[in-house]
């Protein structure tokens, strides 16, 4: 049977919405990354909600990693990783800003010399992990194929394939990311640009017909001079006379935390701009997400796949960097924890 997951008591609405994302066929193929996994409450929830997905539980504090390792003996789809995520691959010191159970401002940790192990942890770029230990043996390159107007019948699916791995693309995909890194969210996203962009669905742009060839992951979009500037065109197009096609996949969905008080205005604006630069729209969850009253969770979804599920539309607030106003966002009525548990769960059950 299922085990009890010790999820955060501060954010029941957010937890219910994420559970809905994972169970209502909204999140696409691939694995889950829980960074800032703490003692494993959310990793436990994700592992049981989506038992056919790998849950990478990334956590820098050694005693928390030990708890995650014990949890993984019960839920083997949890893969603990002692470390953090950031914009560069480096070894950092454990000493510095922290609470009794978590590190804060991981991006501000000093880098220590290679070879040092005592009192350190490894910070990884998410792109490096999906291009290395999580890559299942494939480099981060999308193989794109020419469109065939008379395709042969599709082969029967292999029953041995993991249903959350795209059989056409053998690399492991990111489906959902929960990034709770206590002030280092922007730094994390700057090390995840390739992973967050690579699943962009590509369709023929305008009326021009061209083939798509191999495009390295992480390369910025390059358009031919005559190609329309369409948000659906995220990669270089080359060749002539044929229609481009890409294996159908979904881009990932991810969440971040951000404090919205006046002292954090610039940081919030920078984070929202990065989210939009990567091609996502942030939706604020109207509840306090921690001990700080101005803390909010944001669910970030691809621009080309806007939220349409009634439960998500009614319980989130879309936010644009260009019109960001922290005072207005903090005036959005808060859904209290006691109300959210019953109210949201009833909606999930009625919408399922």
């Amino acid at each position: 049977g299922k085990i009890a997951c010790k999820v955060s008591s501060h954010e029941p609405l957010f937890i219910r919405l994420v559970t809905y994302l994972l169970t209502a066929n909204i999140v696409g193929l691939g694995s889950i990354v829980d960074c800032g996994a703490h003692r494993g409450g959310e990793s436990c929830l994700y592992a049981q909600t989506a038992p056919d997905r790998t849950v990478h539980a990334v956590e820098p504090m050694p005693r928390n990693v030990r708890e995650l390792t014990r949890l993984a003996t019960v839920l083997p789809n949890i893969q603990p990783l002692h470390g953090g995520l950031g914009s560069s691959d480096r070894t950092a010191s454990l000493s510095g800003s922290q609470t009794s159970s978590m590190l804060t401002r991981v991006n501000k940790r000093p880098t220590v010399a290679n070879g040092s192990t005592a009192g350190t942890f490894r910070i990884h770029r998410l792109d490096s992990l999906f291009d290395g230990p999580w890559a299942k043996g494939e480099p981060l390159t999308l193989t794109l194929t020419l469109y065939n107007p008379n395709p042969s019948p599709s082969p029967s699916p292999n029953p041995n394939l993991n249903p959350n791995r795209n059989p056409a693309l053998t690399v492991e995909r990111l489906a959902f990311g929960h990034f709770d890194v206590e002030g280092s969210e922007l730094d994390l996203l700057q090390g995840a640009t390739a992973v967050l962009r690579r699943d962009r669905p590509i369709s023929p742009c305008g009326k021009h017909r061209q083939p798509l060839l191999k495009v390295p992951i992480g390369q910025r979009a390059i358009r031919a001079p005559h190609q329309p500037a369409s948000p659906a065109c995220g990669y270089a197009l080359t060749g002539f006379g044929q229609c481009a096609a890409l294996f159908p996949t979904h881009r990932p969905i991810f969440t971040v935390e951000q404090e919205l008080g006046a002292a954090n205005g610039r940081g919030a604006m920078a984070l929202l701009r990065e989210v939009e630069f990567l091609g996502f729209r942030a939706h604020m969850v109207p509840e306090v997400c921690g001990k700080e009253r101005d803390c909010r969770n944001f669910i970030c979804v691809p621009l080309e796949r806007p939220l349409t599920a009634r439960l998500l539309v009614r319980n989130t607030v879309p936010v644009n960097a260009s019109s960001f106003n922290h005072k207005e966002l903090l005036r959005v009525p808060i859904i209290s924890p006691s109300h959210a548990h019953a109210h949201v769960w009833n909606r999930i059950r009625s919408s399922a």
Side-chain angles (χ1 to χ4, degrees):
K2 288 191 174 184
I3 64 173
C5 299
K6 298 178 181 178
V7 297
S8 170
S9 61
H10 298 290
E11 44 193 37
L13 174 58
F14 172 73
I15 290 168
R16 297 301 188 187
L17 294 178
V18 169
T19 301
Y20 183 71
L21 284 171
L22 293 173
T23 56
N25 201 30
I26 296 173
V27 171
L29 303 174
S31 57
I32 296 169
V33 175
D34 182 18
C35 185
H38 197 225
R39 293 168 179 163
E42 280 69 33
S43 292
C44 170
L45 175 68
Y46 304 150
Q48 294 190 102
T49 302
D52 56 342
R53 299 182 190 268
T54 297
V55 179
H56 296 288
V58 185
E59 170 58 39
M61 293 197 75
R63 63 175 174 270
N64 290 344
V65 175
R66 288 192 288 271
E67 291 195 34
L68 288 166
T69 302
R70 286 193 291 269
L71 183 62
T73 62
V74 182
L75 297 170
N77 57 326
I78 294 178
Q79 299 292 316
L81 174 65
H82 177 216
L85 297 180
S87 59
S88 61
D89 297 300
R90 61 191 182 93
T91 301
S93 173
L94 277 168
S95 63
S97 175
Q98 59 184 280
T99 69
S100 61
S101 61
M102 65 182 71
L103 300 187
T104 60
R105 294 292 177 184
V106 167
N107 59 311
K108 302 296 184 183
R109 304 272 156 170
T111 299
V112 300
N114 287 336
S116 300
T117 56
T120 67
F121 67 101
R122 188 71 181 161
I123 295 178
H124 307 268
R125 294 166 62 248
L126 194 61
D127 292 342
S128 299
L129 290 170
F130 276 95
D131 196 16
W134 297 350
K136 306 275 191 224
E138 279 282 321
L140 280 186
T141 299
L142 287 181
T143 302
L144 303 129
T145 58
L146 301 184
Y147 172 74
N148 181 355
N150 299 299
S152 57
S154 300
S156 299
N158 184 343
N160 296 319
L161 287 174
N162 183 327
N164 279 304
R165 298 249 338 264
N166 188 332
L169 299 171
T170 59
V171 297
E172 182 174 353
R173 319 303 295 178
L174 171 65
F176 177 75
H178 174 227
F179 305 142
D180 181 2
V181 290
E182 302 299 321
S184 300
E185 284 79 3
L186 176 59
D187 189 61
L188 184 156
L189 294 183
Q190 290 171 343
T193 56
V195 170
L196 293 175
R197 285 180 163 183
R198 68 178 175 176
D199 288 343
R200 192 181 204 105
I202 299 179
S203 60
C205 303
K207 61 182 179 182
H208 300 285
R209 306 182 117 208
Q210 301 174 321
L212 282 169
L213 304 180
K214 273 194 172 186
V215 181
I217 289 299
Q219 179 174 307
R220 288 183 182 272
I222 302 173
R223 293 196 306 274
H226 59 279
Q227 181 188 359
S230 166
C233 304
Y235 296 95
L237 301 184
T238 58
F240 305 92
Q242 290 180 296
C243 179
L246 173 63
F247 298 114
T249 59
H250 296 296
R251 292 181 71 198
I253 292 173
F254 64 92
T255 70
V256 291
E257 281 189 4
Q258 178 61 46
E259 293 176 8
L260 299 177
N264 300 293
R266 287 187 178 181
M269 178 69 77
L271 180 62
L272 288 172
R273 284 176 175 165
E274 183 69 16
V275 167
E276 292 176 8
F277 175 74
L278 292 170
F280 290 77
R281 167 66 57 79
H283 296 257
M284 187 186 78
V285 179
E287 73 178 348
V288 177
C289 62
K291 295 181 179 179
E292 300 297 330
R293 294 294 301 171
D294 64 342
C295 179
R296 301 291 184 273
N297 278 301
F298 291 82
I299 298 173
C300 303
V301 300
L303 287 171
E304 66 272 13
R305 295 183 61 228
L307 289 182
T308 56
R310 183 174 59 179
L311 174 72
L312 297 166
V313 171
R314 289 185 176 183
N315 290 283
T316 62
V317 179
V319 181
N320 296 317
S322 60
S323 58
F324 172 74
N325 184 317
H326 74 277
K327 292 181 180 179
E328 291 297 325
L329 291 177
L330 291 174
R331 290 191 188 107
V332 175
I334 296 297
I335 298 179
S336 68
S338 58
H339 180 59
H341 272 298
H343 172 68
V344 178
W345 182 240
N346 287 336
R347 282 196 178 183
I348 289 175
R349 289 191 299 180
S350 64
S351 301

